[in-house]
Amino acid sequence: MGHVVIKDLFKSYIERRATRRMVNSDVNVHKGDRLLVLDRVNLEFQNGELVCILGPSGCGKTTLVRIIAGFESLTSGTVLIDGNPVAGPSSDNIFVFQHNGLLPWMTVWENVCLGLRHMKDKAELATRAQEFVDMVDLTGFEHHYPHQLSGGMQRRAELARALVVNPEVLFMDEPFAGLDFLTRLKMREEVINMHELFHKTVIFITHDIDEALIMADRVVVFSDRPARVRLEFELDFPHPRDFHIDSELEEIRRRVYSELGVHYAL
């Protein structure tokens, strides 16, 4: 499964800073005021769909995903996963955070096995963990600690730890942040291959427009805060994708850049 429905979602925070501040060119916020972050968001994520969410920095993308994952409460509206209201975090829905989430005192093997620790059949646990370690090309590094791995290897270990528990929904909040360009390209390929193999619902936040268009089944573009859905595009293009070959994909690219305030795609 992994069907997510968001209906009329609002999220606001109470401003707690004593000093008045301007959140955009039109709005001054004082202590005690309510700051609207998400404004009537309506979205649906189909089972097995990889959706990338784009939007200006600070617009509320991470807030939305944290609400869906159960880490934050909503102000009003409804969030359903497989028809059930989200009441809190669930082991069926796994979050890969923006920064390295591996436990530094655990080896790769121990990190990957973390979600399987309640399995009674230890032989089955070991077989399953090794399958995913092998799948992300970390064979031979099982007993290394995170600080002994490159950034890309750490991300692959996180991906193995997330997938080994067979989640219904995988949330990825800028998981490639801080990686060098070549490693980032390789990790894109890893996620695309994993998605095509397992067909899990993936909700992926990124600021990289090209990354979203290359990876996703669908892209959702948010406005500045308070976030509203401004654009949605279905990306029914085969992998690998090439902007220079597919004129329709290139036109979508130009529209997304323009919507986000960049009128020339560098």
Side-chain angles (χ1 to χ4, degrees):
M1 302 295 284
H3 179 222
V4 181
V5 176
I6 301 167
K7 296 180 180 178
D8 295 332
L9 175 62
F10 288 86
K11 176 64 179 180
S12 62
Y13 295 100
I14 296 176
E15 177 60 42
R16 301 188 185 280
R17 302 184 193 187
T19 304
R20 186 184 70 176
R21 65 190 179 103
M22 183 173 286
V23 295
N24 58 43
S25 59
D26 302 317
V27 179
N28 280 306
V29 177
H30 303 77
K31 184 177 181 180
D33 289 349
R34 278 204 167 271
L35 177 62
L36 184 60
V37 177
L38 299 172
D39 185 8
R40 197 182 292 277
V41 174
N42 289 278
L43 282 170
E44 187 169 358
F45 303 92
Q46 301 297 334
N47 180 37
E49 190 178 28
L50 194 166
V51 180
C52 284
I53 299 177
L54 293 163
S57 181
C59 72
K61 301 182 298 296
T62 295
T63 300
L64 173 69
V65 173
R66 287 177 62 85
I67 289 171
I68 303 171
F71 290 109
E72 287 198 35
S73 61
L74 46 77
T75 301
S76 66
T78 305
V79 178
L80 306 173
I81 297 181
D82 294 329
N84 300 309
V86 172
S90 167
S91 59
D92 291 330
N93 310 312
I94 302 298
F95 206 116
V96 177
F97 292 94
Q98 186 172 14
H99 303 291
N100 178 23
L102 296 175
L103 299 178
W105 59 88
M106 289 185 172
T107 63
V108 168
W109 181 261
E110 291 167 334
N111 269 285
V112 172
C113 291
L114 191 62
L116 304 176
R117 62 191 182 278
H118 298 303
M119 287 181 62
K120 294 181 179 179
D121 188 333
K122 300 307 177 184
E124 182 183 350
L125 182 155
T127 299
R128 184 167 180 80
Q130 192 64 56
E131 175 186 353
F132 283 86
V133 168
D134 294 344
M135 191 174 296
V136 297
D137 292 327
L138 286 177
T139 310
F141 292 91
E142 292 90 342
H143 302 298
H144 285 61
Y145 288 91
H147 73 274
Q148 297 173 310
L149 306 175
S150 68
M153 295 169 78
Q154 291 176 2
R155 289 297 190 226
R156 281 186 275 146
E158 285 192 81
L159 192 56
R161 184 177 66 180
L163 291 171
V164 74
V165 298
N166 193 30
E168 298 295 344
V169 183
L170 183 61
F171 302 99
M172 305 187 80
D173 183 5
E174 293 191 72
F176 307 152
L179 297 181
D180 65 86
F181 180 70
L182 289 177
T183 302
R184 192 176 185 113
L185 292 182
K186 291 176 182 176
M187 287 305 302
R188 288 181 192 171
E189 186 177 9
E190 291 278 358
V191 171
I192 291 169
N193 290 339
M194 293 289 183
H195 181 251
E196 291 183 344
L197 181 63
F198 294 107
H199 298 289
K200 296 296 181 183
T201 303
V202 180
I203 302 175
F204 190 108
I205 294 176
T206 179
H207 284 108
D208 189 322
I209 295 169
D210 289 2
E211 181 171 84
L213 296 174
I214 286 169
M215 292 178 59
D217 299 322
R218 179 162 54 105
V219 293
V220 176
V221 182
F222 275 5
S223 68
D224 207 346
R225 190 174 58 233
R228 304 177 182 91
V229 176
R230 295 295 295 271
L231 293 174
E232 283 190 70
F233 291 104
E234 298 282 347
L235 301 175
D236 190 19
F237 305 97
H239 294 289
R241 296 172 180 170
D242 190 327
F243 299 110
H244 302 292
I245 295 174
D246 198 312
S247 59
E248 186 180 352
L249 184 61
E250 174 62 20
E251 178 57 28
I252 292 173
R253 180 178 184 242
R254 291 182 181 278
R255 285 190 62 187
V256 174
Y257 269 98
S258 179
E259 180 62 36
L260 293 175
V262 181
H263 300 287
Y264 182 75
L266 299 175

